Amino acid sequence: MAVAAGIWAFFPGYIFTGLSYFSFFCWIFPKNVIVNQLFGVVSGLGMNIITLDWTQITMGPSPLVTPFWAQLHTFGAFILIYWIVGPILYYSNVWKSAHLPIFGGMAYDRFARPYNVTRVLDLETLKFDSTAYEEYSPVYLPISFAMTYMLAFAIPPATLVHAVLVYWPKICSLAQRKVPQDEPDDIHAKLMRRYSGIRWWWYGTVFIVSFALSIGAVKIQPQLQLPLGAIVLAILLAVIWVIPICYITAISGQTPAVNIIAQIIPGALWRERPLVNMVFKVYVVQGLSIANVFVRATKLGHYVKIPPRYCFMVQAIGVIMTALVQLGIKFLLFAGVQDICQPNQSARLVCAHNQVFYSASIIWGLIGPRRQFGKGGVYYGEIYALIAGAMLPLLIWWWCRFRPDSPLRRFNLPVALAVCTYTPPATGINYSSSFALPKGGNVVLKWWGNTVWQNTLDANGVTFLPTDPNVGF
């Protein structure tokens, strides 16, 4: 089976790449704007369920390990937000979005070109030039990216409020090392008691060493301009959200993203300092991510009866090795791969996640949340999603208390909102194909199967309305 899977990977990945971008409607109508925007999978909404590339199916959470109810939440939310609301706003030219591709993770200027940071940044001082910004352009986002930010505003308060209202009794019991009444002691817990637990000072040592390394990194690289208070605040944010996020991930396989909080706070406290914003976000988001991975691995070790101390040591060594290996591989890739991270890179090494990260550093770190989402900003209305995210779980909880037999009792708002975690770069084809699944070098083959999807408006980022390159919109 493994050999067959490895052989098949060559077909959509190398021999017939059109099998991966299986947007056959775009092949039939390669010059039709609407068809390419709705059914395209590069810069379109991916309204299709067919792909023969496993990497497309698993670009988001794997369908093999995600419960069906969680897939139903995320795919339903994707249909509502990205396939229904998004196109309505796009073709109404809300936020000037019709001048841009309907889907993507790149930031644009008013000329519908990728945002040129050097025009608003003093390269000598790395400071924001407000005068140049006024003369140049605000940041404009594809409607899909704008909708992602709207959901991202709602996720942190929704996750926190939902966890407190629904899971708090169990969390308190587990924190006090008590077995919840509705969860009797199982055979796995009984068998694992024969092994010694992990001492608290093991975790304390890891924390002290990591904190010291963080301070050392700031001292060695003063150009980061990262104050010590930023590191402490990032750790506090991770501590606040780690239990709610890990709890929701454990029951659903979906990880709610709190990126927006990790960008708003440094954007407001340390204005016009993109490097501070980026590093702060990495500490919060990656800290939560590693904690999530640690919990999942420990849970797996619990069920396969690996002694907790061995499990701890293996993961600690694995983190160190992974960091060194990843750094080495990335240095080799950037040194040896031509045009890496460029939109037209021949092997499709376009660094889609990095594009989103880069755009976020512009929006939150350089330009700042006030100019984009404050009063008078292009996307001012989205800030109210913070209030909606806090209120909706409360209203649902109250309604379920009033109507215990309500279907809303089975609805998990943070899981539904988690759809924005992977979007962009994940498109509709990644979610639909996953949901529909039953419960060499630089040489490029030049033939129709590898170019049919490229000769469409979708692959070139078609916009609904034209933009004068000199006047803008």
Side-chain angles (χ1 to χ4, degrees), residues 174-419:
L174 294 172
Q176 298 171 9
R177 298 185 179 276
K178 294 180 181 178
V179 178
Q181 295 181 356
D182 60 342
E183 292 184 12
D185 201 7
D186 61 26
I187 185 61
H188 301 285
K190 292 179 180 178
L191 292 174
M192 288 298 288
R193 289 198 189 100
R194 64 191 301 180
Y195 300 118
S196 300
I198 303 170
R199 300 291 184 181
W200 66 267
W201 61 266
W202 288 29
Y203 294 102
T205 302
V206 171
F207 174 78
I208 292 171
V209 171
S210 301
F211 189 67
L213 290 173
S214 300
I215 297 174
V218 174
K219 297 299 182 182
I220 294 174
Q221 295 181 302
Q223 64 269 27
L224 293 177
Q225 303 176 351
L226 187 70
L228 178 61
I231 299 176
V232 175
L233 184 57
I235 294 172
L236 288 176
L237 287 177
V239 169
I240 291 172
W241 265 278
V242 66
I243 292 179
I245 287 178
C246 288
Y247 201 108
I248 291 173
T249 304
I251 64 173
S252 68
Q254 307 287 327
T255 303
V258 296
N259 304 36
I260 208 78
I261 292 294
Q263 293 168 325
I264 289 178
I265 292 177
L269 296 179
W270 299 280
R271 298 178 183 176
E272 302 171 3
R273 293 164 72 174
L275 292 179
V276 173
N277 194 282
M278 293 172 70
V279 177
F280 188 95
K281 176 184 175 181
V282 167
Y283 274 113
V284 177
V285 175
Q286 290 302 115
L288 289 170
S289 175
I290 294 299
N292 210 334
V293 171
F294 177 81
V295 170
R296 282 187 294 176
T298 304
K299 178 181 176 181
L300 178 63
H302 177 84
Y303 285 117
V304 297
K305 310 301 176 295
I306 297 176
R309 294 187 178 185
Y310 290 168
C311 193
F312 181 95
M313 288 187 288
V314 166
Q315 291 189 77
I317 295 171
V319 167
I320 297 172
M321 293 182 62
T322 300
L324 296 176
V325 171
Q326 281 194 352
L327 281 174
I329 291 176
K330 286 178 180 178
F331 277 122
L332 290 174
L333 283 173
F334 278 92
V337 179
Q338 188 176 7
D339 297 329
I340 190 170
C341 293
Q342 297 302 313
N344 298 318
Q345 210 281 328
S346 60
R348 299 299 299 166
L349 297 175
V350 296
C351 309
H353 287 281
N354 300 73
Q355 286 182 3
V356 176
F357 191 89
Y358 174 73
S359 299
S361 70
I362 297 173
I363 296 168
W364 302 103
L366 182 61
I367 296 173
R370 180 174 297 180
R371 291 186 178 90
Q372 285 298 113
F373 300 94
K375 195 169 185 178
V378 178
Y379 302 99
Y380 170 60
E382 293 197 354
I383 198 73
Y384 291 104
L386 280 168
I387 301 174
M391 294 301 297
L392 280 175
L394 187 61
L395 294 174
I396 293 172
W397 176 81
W398 174 83
W399 179 256
C400 292
R401 297 269 294 187
F402 181 69
R403 293 286 184 88
D405 57 343
S406 172
L408 281 178
R409 181 174 289 277
R410 298 183 181 90
F411 181 67
N412 192 307
L413 183 63
V415 173
L417 294 177
V419 67

Side-chain angles (χ1 to χ4, degrees), residues 76-224:
F78 188 93
I79 292 174
L80 176 63
I81 300 298
Y82 294 98
W83 281 1
I84 297 176
V85 177
I88 292 174
L89 298 180
Y90 181 79
Y91 293 116
S92 300
N93 198 28
V94 175
W95 300 318
K96 307 292 184 181
S97 58
H99 293 272
L100 309 174
I102 196 170
F103 199 94
M106 189 175 290
Y108 293 87
D109 58 22
R110 63 189 178 93
F111 305 99
R113 291 191 289 259
Y115 201 85
N116 187 354
V117 179
T118 60
R119 294 189 59 174
V120 298
L121 180 67
D122 188 328
L123 297 179
E124 294 183 359
T125 62
L126 294 180
K127 295 290 185 179
F128 180 75
D129 189 335
S130 58
T131 303
Y133 173 78
E134 296 295 334
E135 294 175 354
Y136 177 40
S137 171
V139 172
Y140 290 93
L141 304 173
I143 195 65
S144 59
F145 205 179
M147 299 303 289
T148 291
Y149 270 128
M150 183 186 70
L151 296 180
F153 274 114
I155 282 182
T159 301
L160 204 58
V161 174
H162 181 86
V164 170
L165 294 175
V166 180
Y167 308 130
W168 190 249
K170 284 189 176 182
I171 292 174
C172 288
S173 297
L174 294 172
Q176 298 171 9
R177 298 185 179 276
K178 294 180 181 178
V179 178
Q181 295 181 356
D182 60 342
E183 292 184 12
D185 201 7
D186 61 26
I187 185 61
H188 301 285
K190 292 179 180 178
L191 292 174
M192 288 298 288
R193 289 198 189 100
R194 64 191 301 180
Y195 300 118
S196 300
I198 303 170
R199 300 291 184 181
W200 66 267
W201 61 266
W202 288 29
Y203 294 102
T205 302
V206 171
F207 174 78
I208 292 171
V209 171
S210 301
F211 189 67
L213 290 173
S214 300
I215 297 174
V218 174
K219 297 299 182 182
I220 294 174
Q221 295 181 302
Q223 64 269 27
L224 293 177

